[in-house]
């Protein structure tokens, strides 16, 4: 019986530690709990959020210096969300190859 209770408690604790943090409602402590966000980045996020909540990941990337697609993907994998949504990279078509330079 004790093992079942302990297992249940540990499961709940693990689930809570991986809970998503929404950028529009997060406190400084919430933001700092995300691996990859330190005091400098959390300050930039909160400053940009004062103007208005972030609409989506694109809005976040445009308004917060230092966050691009690559970093947004990492932060999302650590549990950061924007309006409950995880980061989804923009769908791009197949890359077009540039013609090789010809020697003259």
């Amino acid at each position: 019986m004790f093992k079942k209770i302990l297992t249940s408690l540990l499961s709940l604790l693990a689930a809570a530690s991986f809970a998503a943090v929404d950028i529009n409602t997060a406190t400084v402590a919430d933001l700092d709990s995300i691996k990859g966000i330190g005091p400098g980045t959390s300050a930039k996020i909160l400053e940009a959020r004062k103007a208005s909540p972030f609409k989506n990941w694109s809005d976040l990337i445009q308004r917060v210096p230092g966050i691009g697609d690559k970093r947004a993907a990492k932060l999302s994998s650590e549990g950061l969300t924007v309006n409950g949504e995880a980061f989804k990279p923009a769908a791009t078509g197949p890359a077009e190859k540039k013609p090789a330079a010809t020697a003259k």
Side-chain angles (χ1 to χ4, degrees), residues 17-74:
S17 67
F18 291 113
V21 174
D22 190 82
I23 200 158
N24 286 319
T25 58
T27 63
V28 174
D30 293 336
L31 292 171
D32 287 345
S33 73
I34 300 290
K35 185 177 177 186
I37 296 181
T41 302
S42 60
K44 290 177 189 176
I45 290 169
L46 293 175
E47 188 62 33
R49 191 174 76 185
K50 281 181 187 177
S52 66
F54 297 102
K55 295 176 187 129
N56 52 37
W57 280 95
S58 240
D59 186 30
L60 171 69
I61 291 168
Q62 286 180 338
R63 292 171 44 197
V64 180
I67 297 181
D69 286 350
K70 190 174 179 180
R71 188 161 180 212
K74 286 181 183 178

